[in-house]
Amino acid sequence: MLDTSGVVFLQLGAMAALAFYVAANLGANDVANSMGTSVGSKALTLWQAIIVAGILEFSGAVLFGQGVSETLATGVVNAEVFAAKPQVFLIGMVSVLIACGIWLQIATSRGLPVSSSHAVVGAIAGFSCVAAGINAVDWRTIGTISLTWVATPIASGALAALFYSGVKYWILDRPDPLFQLREWIPWLSAGMLSVFGIIVLPSVVDVALVQTGAIAFVYDRLGWNLPIHDIVIGIGSIGAIGLTLNSWKKLESVEKEEERRKKEEGRRKKEEGRSTNTNSPTLPLSPPPTLPPSETPKLGHSLIEQQMARFQVLSACFVAFSHGSNDVGNAVAPLAAIAYIRRTGSFPSDDFSVPLWILVVGGAGIVIGLAIWGKNVIATVGEKIIELQPSGGFCAELATATTVLLASRFGLPVSTSHALVGAVVGVGLIKAWKTVRWKTLLSIGSAWLVTIPIAAALGASIFSIAQWILAR
């Protein structure tokens, strides 16, 4: 049990408020990863995105945030160095919370999507060097994270370019794009649910069926041994079939409505023409003006973008849920380390985990921060790099999720911010590279490069000040 005496309780409450502050800045900055492209493509309004992302981010953080197997607190520092002085590590974690909150708020106020994990890593490295020397930091981990700065946006951009090239070639540029879309809907449904299902469904099945004992109950009563991966595949298949049938139905309904509208408009024009011919003398008719080929509108593209908007919103929901379950640790891992030291008086060991109440603090902070400050970064990712349509936004989100999933399989720490920005640029290069706003990208890239050094300097400075105050 936690020591709930007055002073300790107030101290822990203050630390929880700090973690809430960091989570709020994380929500304002990182949630653009899931909702920025949906707002930019007009698939969702800003407030619709905030409400949807808030619900899913909080759900993912509280329900599945505890599944993170390794925290940043124990992965960046050498445990042996701090094992004998856990109180120094506690002060360092407080410094990390303050440093990350300050830097994320500065970046968010300027609309710059930065990596919260890099900010946490930088702050931990900064205070560790001051507290116990340069050997207190696991520099191999720092080097791996630095390499992902380059690899993540390039990989995600390449995938997004590949996906959008396929959509453009097989659907958008075809003589009958609506027919092509109808043919490709099953493949789009299966592809999206395969990628996002692998991220989300295993955790859902584990909590809903394994931890509740449902699978064990079925085995005891019926003798059925149900492997988790088979259940995941079954749920994903049912979801893909259901999404395909629903999408076909919606597309058919929209097509009928569009056809009815065109007939009504044609009938109205005929009636107007009849009325004009009756009341005015006959004049020689001039041929209608023709548009250049590049300006000729392609029939059905608006209907295609309407349908792609549905896929994009659904993909954004999956990304928001998985982001809440994975990235909440960036905000609350330092608080969990502080609570562990307060409870045990020792450095976090193998049984270190994030308690539920801390996950609730992190999830609530993400939602509040998104609602108050999130619009700046959402606008940058969704609108200021390139103008997106739902087809491009869907490809960008699919590429982002695929990149993050593959990196997770290989145990590589990557930034969702980097992945999404790279994916948006990848779509832009295929769509029209001259429309990419390189000035915005230069600002984002600069923010990426300075995140770790600035966070490290802040963490070191705040830790030094705290040590000086406590020593007096």
Side-chain angles (χ1 to χ4, degrees):
M1 293 294 292
L2 273 171
D3 182 3
T4 55
S5 62
V7 175
V8 174
F9 184 79
L10 288 175
Q11 289 176 346
L12 198 56
M15 297 307 101
L18 271 177
F20 182 90
Y21 171 63
V22 175
N25 282 284
L26 185 148
N29 199 290
D30 271 14
V31 176
N33 303 329
S34 57
M35 290 296 165
T37 54
S38 294
V39 174
S41 67
K42 306 299 185 293
L44 288 174
T45 66
L46 176 63
W47 279 105
Q48 284 175 337
I50 287 174
I51 292 170
V52 171
I55 294 171
L56 292 168
E57 290 273 346
F58 183 81
S59 301
V62 173
L63 296 177
F64 303 107
Q66 69 271 27
V68 179
S69 60
E70 194 173 327
T71 65
L72 290 168
T74 57
V76 178
V77 300
N78 289 324
E80 297 82 4
V81 175
F82 290 101
K85 39 186 177 182
Q87 294 304 318
V88 174
F89 188 73
L90 185 150
I91 297 171
M93 287 292 102
V94 175
S95 305
V96 168
L97 287 173
I98 298 173
C100 289
I102 291 173
W103 171 240
L104 286 175
Q105 185 164 31
I106 291 172
T108 302
S109 66
R110 296 179 175 273
L112 299 173
V114 297
S115 170
S116 58
S117 58
H118 290 182
V120 174
V121 166
I124 292 175
F127 100 79
S128 298
C129 288
V130 173
I134 197 169
N135 291 328
V137 181
D138 186 346
W139 293 107
R140 181 176 296 179
T141 300
I142 300 290
T144 302
I145 292 173
S146 299
L147 287 176
T148 65
W149 285 353
V150 178
T152 299
I154 290 177
S156 185
L159 282 174
L162 179 64
F163 293 155
Y164 189 71
S165 296
V167 169
K168 192 171 182 293
Y169 179 79
W170 291 108
I171 300 176
L172 299 179
D173 291 346
R174 292 287 171 168
D176 189 355
L178 283 177
F179 175 81
Q180 289 297 116
L181 175 62
R182 191 179 291 105
E183 294 291 310
W184 276 91
I185 278 177
W187 298 102
L188 294 175
S189 301
M192 182 181 66
L193 288 176
S194 294
V195 172
F196 295 113
I198 292 172
I199 296 174
V200 177
L201 280 181
S203 298
V204 174
V205 171
D206 181 67
V207 171
L209 300 180
V210 177
Q211 296 184 23
T212 59
I215 291 182
F217 176 81
V218 170
Y219 180 76
D220 292 338
R221 291 298 181 92
L222 303 175
W224 295 351
N225 186 13
L226 302 176
I228 293 180
H229 61 269
D230 286 351
I231 298 174
V232 169
I233 292 173
I235 294 174
S237 300
I238 293 171
I241 293 171
L243 180 59
T244 297
L245 295 176
N246 183 263
S247 298
W248 277 339
K249 184 178 179 181
K250 283 286 184 181
L251 183 60
E252 184 179 356
S253 173
V254 171
E255 283 181 308
K256 287 181 179 179
E257 180 63 24
E258 184 73 7
E259 187 177 346
R260 186 196 64 78
R261 187 187 63 78
K262 287 181 179 179
K263 287 182 179 179
E264 186 69 26
E265 186 177 344
R267 187 166 56 251
R268 181 177 57 78
K269 286 183 178 179
K270 283 183 180 179
E271 291 176 356
E272 289 177 356
R274 235 183 255 115
S275 174
T276 303
N277 291 335
T278 304
N279 299 326
S280 61
T282 304
L283 295 175
L285 297 176
S286 58
T290 57
L291 293 172
S294 60
E295 299 179 10
T296 304
K298 293 189 176 182
L299 297 178
H301 273 203
S302 61
L303 301 182
I304 288 175
E305 295 300 341
Q306 288 178 31
Q307 188 64 47
M308 295 300 291
R310 292 164 50 79
F311 282 97
Q312 186 185 4
V313 170
L314 185 58
S315 66
C317 290
F318 279 114
V319 173
F321 186 89
S322 59
H323 175 270
S325 65
N326 291 324
D327 282 18
V328 69
N330 296 334
V332 300
L335 176 60
I338 292 168
Y340 184 94
I341 294 172
R342 279 295 185 189
R343 187 179 76 247
T344 65
S346 61
F347 182 83
S349 58
D350 293 338
D351 62 343
F352 173 63
S353 62
V354 182
L356 180 61
W357 70 271
I358 291 181
L359 292 173
V360 171
V361 169
I366 286 175
V367 175
I368 297 298
L370 170 64
I372 297 176
W373 301 313
K375 61 182 180 181
N376 292 334
V377 178
I378 286 179
T380 297
V381 174
E383 300 173 355
K384 294 183 181 178
I385 298 176
I386 188 173
E387 293 182 4
L388 283 172
Q389 291 180 312
S391 55
F394 168 72
C395 292
E397 287 177 350
L398 187 62
T400 299
T402 304
T403 302
V404 174
L405 173 63
L406 290 174
S408 299
R409 289 298 181 193
F410 288 104
L412 298 174
V414 296
S415 166
T416 317
S417 301
H418 294 189
L420 190 84
V421 170
V424 171
V425 173
V427 171
L429 292 176
I430 297 299
K431 187 177 180 182
W433 69 270
K434 290 183 179 179
T435 63
V436 177
R437 299 182 179 97
W438 300 105
K439 185 177 180 181
T440 300
L441 284 177
L442 181 62
S443 299
I444 293 173
S446 300
W448 288 355
L449 290 175
V450 301
T451 291
I452 282 188
I454 288 180
L458 284 172
S461 301
I462 294 169
F463 177 79
S464 298
I465 294 171
Q467 284 281 73
W468 179 76
I469 292 174
L470 292 174
R472 295 189 65 183

